[in-house]
Amino acid sequence: QEDIFKKVISHAKEYGYIFPSSEIYDGLSAVYDYAQNGVELKKNLREYWWKAMVQLHENIVGIDAAIFMHPTTWKASGHVDAFNDPLIDNKDSKKRYRADTLVEDYVAKIEDKIEKEVAKAQKRFGEAFDKEQFLSTNPKVIEYKERAEAILHRLGKSLEREDLADVKALIEELEIVCPISGTKNWTEVKQFNLMFGTKLGATSEGAMDLYLRPETAQGIFVNFSNVQKTGRMKIPFGIAQTGKAFRNEIVARQFIFRMREFEQMEMQFFIKPGTQQEWYEHWKKTRLKWHLSLGLGEENYRFHDHEKLAHYADAACDIEFRFPFGFKELEGIHSRTDFDLGNHEKYSGKKLQYFDPEENRSYVPYVLETSVGLDRLFLAIFSHSLQEETLEDGETRTVLRLPFVLAPTKVAVLPLLKKDELPELALQIFNDLKYDFNVAYDEKDAIGRRYRRQDAVGTPFCITVDHQSKEDNTVTLRHRDTMEQQRVPISALRELILKEVDM
Ligand code: ATP
């Protein structure tokens, strides 16, 4: 699995999808740039989402709020007080860990140790090996299972209650049973706020402390009344937004899965209090259906219900995707109650209510939120689409089977040879098609290599212009997934391709 993930990362770089940020200066940790193909895939994904959420709903509109917001926003939203992660430093290795991630590492390590004991015993006893019996009688396994798990349980409880006083001692105890770092020298656990601070204003005295937004949602809440009134929106209605968010993640890792600067696509759906259960179910279903429409396979998605709820939610779940490193959160669906609007009312002193003509009363609406990370979605689709196939002749080909609607370039026009006026005819086709979708033109290298290159970039179709094209105005149309080629009139290309690649 790790190998697959490495391939994903190197493919993303080699084929112009994602580069490390400021690479000539050795990069910046957990920050990435989208390259010439990446930016197209990302734009297509954003548009695919926008179309489903905004264009296809008569009661959902979009906005694009600023990244900078009045600092009180983040007091009202709870981020100043609650957006904290427990951190612990190892004094010897000088490594910093998120306490909760460290606990996960211990769990994995302990499972690993038990498995190794089982494998050893299995080898020794062969046929006669009884796993159940071994697990319940082997002293080492019992030590791991009982002692380590008891400590882990206490650790989990402490973290859950945010009662951090004994975390250091518990981690030191664990380190004895099952060493990860090999040292016992830990600091106390500290809370660390994940928001990036910055300043607005030229002089140091007059400057105002600001935060880069850690989520796009608040830009929607503070605009609730503006949109509701100017758009004459009636509850239930939604406001959607895509845009950058920033979090000073402690453990940023796994490529674009967890970044410090990332993009969210969020929709806040405003509803009558008391109807949240029904809308929660509705949006869970609707959002899963949207993901499934991309065709990556139902078995790669699952719901994960939250037991421990964030400070703003009365119900929450994730849609998880099977990434190369296992099932992980892709999208969150949260029933946020009136927490946000209610608090913004309190802090701003402005009414953020809705007059319900049917009930003849005003109330602070409840909110259902769907929030998906654009970069995570990109990673899900990109990693799933990257496939290596063995062909009939025994050769392998790398193909990026992106859904057609998302592919950066829909078709490549390739003159078979760089002579006999084939390039001229190919360029003419390029110029005819370029108004409808992204077209690539390539005349370099042997035709087979050019096909392989387009396969690896994920281009659904290749048009090849050959000598016959000049005689009868036909070309071959090659399909990425099947590699089949069909002869078609040049005049039919546009319709044929549009039918396949249009959103
Ligand atoms: P996680 O538990 O993975 O940190 P979260 O529960 O904090 O995520 P939310 O605050 O619910 O995430 O944000 C909604 C979505 O934004 C997530 O489902 C994810 O797709 C995306 N997201 C959150 N943090 C990051 C990040 N650091 N990098 C990339 N995407 C992110």
Side-chain angles (χ1 to χ4, degrees), residues 6 32 78 99 109-110 118 132 139 194 224 228 230 232 235 286 314 376 424 426 431 442 450 493:
K6 276 195 191 134
Y32 292 92
K109 184 89 184 180
I110 287 164
V118 169
E132 291 303 311
L194 294 181
F224 165 75
Q228 191 270 317
T230 58
R232 306 199 301 160
I235 272 178
T286 308
D314 76 347
R376 268 190 206 179
E424 285 75 5
N431 281 320
D442 188 6
R450 279 182 276 165
L493 283 170

Side-chain angles (χ1 to χ4, degrees), residues 247 249 257-259 262 264 329-330 334 371 373 376:
R247 295 182 190 176
E249 299 278 7
F257 181 81
R258 191 181 299 287
M259 298 198 287
F262 58 100
Q264 289 187 312
E329 169 174 352
L330 178 60
H334 309 125
S371 174
R376 268 190 206 179

Side-chain angles (χ1 to χ4, degrees), residues 187-455:
T187 60
E188 292 296 334
V189 177
K190 287 175 295 221
Q191 292 283 7
F192 176 86
N193 196 289
L194 294 181
M195 284 193 291
F196 281 102
T198 184
K199 285 192 188 298
L200 183 90
T203 60
S204 53
E205 315 87 69
M208 191 183 204
D209 286 315
L210 290 189
Y211 293 110
L212 298 184
R213 65 181 179 197
E215 63 177 26
T216 55
Q218 298 305 323
I220 291 178
F221 294 129
V222 299
N223 278 301
F224 165 75
S225 277
N226 279 341
V227 173
Q228 191 270 317
K229 293 203 174 94
T230 58
R232 306 199 301 160
M233 310 301 290
K234 281 205 196 69
I235 272 178
F237 75 91
I239 305 178
Q241 171 167 230
T242 71
K244 284 277 171 91
F246 304 82
R247 295 182 190 176
N248 202 356
E249 299 278 7
I250 320 308
V251 190
R253 56 180 178 189
Q254 286 161 327
F255 195 35
I256 57 170
F257 181 81
R258 191 181 299 287
M259 298 198 287
R260 300 212 162 93
E261 172 182 342
F262 58 100
E263 189 164 338
Q264 289 187 312
M265 306 197 290
E266 297 197 304
M267 193 277 299
Q268 320 290 328
F269 201 67
F270 298 93
I271 56 173
K272 192 155 81 179
T275 62
Q276 64 267 36
Q277 186 60 37
E278 155 198 337
W279 284 110
Y280 179 62
E281 296 303 331
H282 169 87
W283 282 110
K284 270 177 79 168
K285 248 200 295 194
T286 308
R287 290 304 303 149
L288 181 63
K289 216 164 120 191
W290 181 87
H291 285 285
L292 295 181
S293 75
L294 289 169
L296 308 191
E298 206 165 336
E299 68 285 3
N300 293 313
Y301 297 87
R302 69 180 190 200
F303 283 114
H304 170 245
D305 294 314
H306 288 201
E307 279 145 33
K308 190 187 162 204
L309 294 172
H311 59 279
Y312 53 75
D314 76 347
C317 69
D318 301 330
I319 295 177
E320 294 187 336
F321 180 77
R322 195 200 302 265
F323 286 95
F325 38 83
F327 270 104
K328 292 273 183 227
E329 169 174 352
L330 178 60
E331 169 155 359
I333 294 159
H334 309 125
S335 173
R336 294 182 78 125
T337 67
D338 58 357
F339 177 87
D340 302 272
L341 289 181
N343 269 350
H344 285 305
E345 269 204 335
K346 249 187 260 161
Y347 278 85
S348 69
K350 306 281 182 343
K351 274 222 168 321
L352 295 176
Q353 303 200 352
Y354 172 76
F355 177 74
D356 191 328
E358 274 159 35
E359 300 216 348
N360 199 27
R361 69 177 178 104
S362 293
Y363 53 76
V364 177
Y366 269 36
V367 170
L368 252 140
E369 165 181 81
T370 72
S371 174
V372 59
L374 178 49
D375 314 87
R376 268 190 206 179
L377 197 55
F378 186 114
L379 180 59
I381 286 160
F382 190 88
S383 57
H384 182 85
S385 301
L386 184 59
Q387 293 173 13
E388 245 164 51
E389 291 176 351
T390 308
L391 303 177
E392 275 169 20
D393 59 8
E395 279 205 39
T396 56
R397 93 165 166 149
T398 302
V399 51
L400 192 63
R401 290 177 183 269
L402 294 172
F404 291 2
V405 290
L406 301 178
T409 302
K410 306 304 185 196
V411 56
V413 187
L414 316 170
L416 185 63
L417 300 171
K418 221 162 123 182
K419 58 180 187 190
D420 303 336
E421 285 160 32
L422 300 185
E424 285 75 5
L425 182 52
L427 276 169
Q428 208 177 317
I429 295 172
F430 171 90
N431 281 320
D432 282 346
L433 296 177
K434 72 183 180 190
Y435 297 96
D436 294 295
F437 33 76
N438 283 344
V439 188
Y441 173 81
D442 188 6
E443 55 178 32
K444 199 168 161 271
D445 293 331
I447 192 73
R449 287 186 62 174
R450 279 182 276 165
Y451 287 150
R452 285 304 146 78
R453 191 170 164 80
Q454 295 302 332
D455 288 345

